[in-house]
Amino acid sequence: MINNIKIFLKGIRYKNIIIALICCVLAASKLNALNYISTLIPISIVLFLMMIANLANDILDIKTDSINRPNRPLIINPSLVQYFKIAILIFTILAIGLSFFINLKAQFIVIGSVPLLILYSKFFKSRPLIGNVFVAFYLSLVFIFIEIAITNSIDLMTVPAIFAFGISLIREIVKDIQDYKGDQASKIKTLPILIGIKPCIYFVNFLIICFLLACGIIMLDFYFFYYIATLIFIVFMPLFYLIFFLIKKPIIKSCREASALLKKITILGLIIIYIT
């Protein structure tokens, strides 16, 4: 029983859930909404939607995960597939049910997102770049959704959403390079399979440069020296290092390290944006 619970926690990606929870709390705090119990509803919805997407992804990706990630829950214990499906149904009911307690704009996002998140692995993931954009968009949508659900408008969360989209798009393509062998065996046409590993890594470097330029433009609106210095030290310098690291070693193994670094940059970058 305890072992099954551990496997289930791995299935919902509990570490990512904790990170998402922190991001949601930071966003709500930025909106000065932590004193209202109603804030818990949109945050809970976000977490349920993430769990739905992660569990559905594990079910639909059993073949590729057997090569790319043999430690995935359903690879270790395939008998849990039925339990994962039941959990998806329960989380879907909870997410949609809770959406009736928020405004119509936010409710529309929830109801529209559920089928798309479930079908992502089957229809969008195998589309070169489209699947990456899809995931990055939904990760950035978390901030927009929280603000719409709490204030019924979009204003303060625009910058965090743009940051999350840019860094997530880069990381998703890097993860596709990391999963090259399994995706190739499963005949999934991701970007690295379509254009090759090295050209894809060069494309990632191009995206990093574009992201840095975009961040630089946004920084022009800030005149707080310590904010700019911190952003340069925590976000810009690691990304510049990543460019040279990937150019020097344009191989799959390098992308595993790059993916881990990008995850840390995302968390630290969002915290900095929150502080401002």
Side-chain angles (χ1 to χ4, degrees), residues 11-12 17 20 24 41-57 87-88 90-99 102 106-120 134 138-139 141-142 145-146:
I12 63 172
I17 295 298
C24 288
I41 295 177
I43 291 178
S44 298
I45 291 173
V46 168
L47 300 184
F48 285 139
L49 290 177
M50 285 193 66
M51 292 177 191
I52 291 168
N54 291 335
L55 292 173
N57 188 68
I88 289 173
I90 293 172
F91 292 148
T92 299
I93 293 172
L94 289 172
I96 294 177
L98 288 174
S99 72
I102 55 181
Q107 185 181 353
F108 176 77
I109 293 174
V110 175
I111 295 175
S113 295
V114 170
L116 290 176
L117 290 172
I118 292 175
L119 296 173
Y120 157 73
F134 179 90
Y138 265 98
L139 290 173
L141 186 62
V142 168
F145 170 74
I146 291 294

Side-chain angles (χ1 to χ4, degrees), residues 38 50 81-82 84 101 112 142 228 236 238 244-245 247 258-260:
S38 59
M50 285 193 66
V81 170
Q82 193 61 33
F84 274 36
F101 295 94
V142 168
I228 296 176
F236 278 41
F244 292 106
F245 173 71
I247 289 176
S259 179

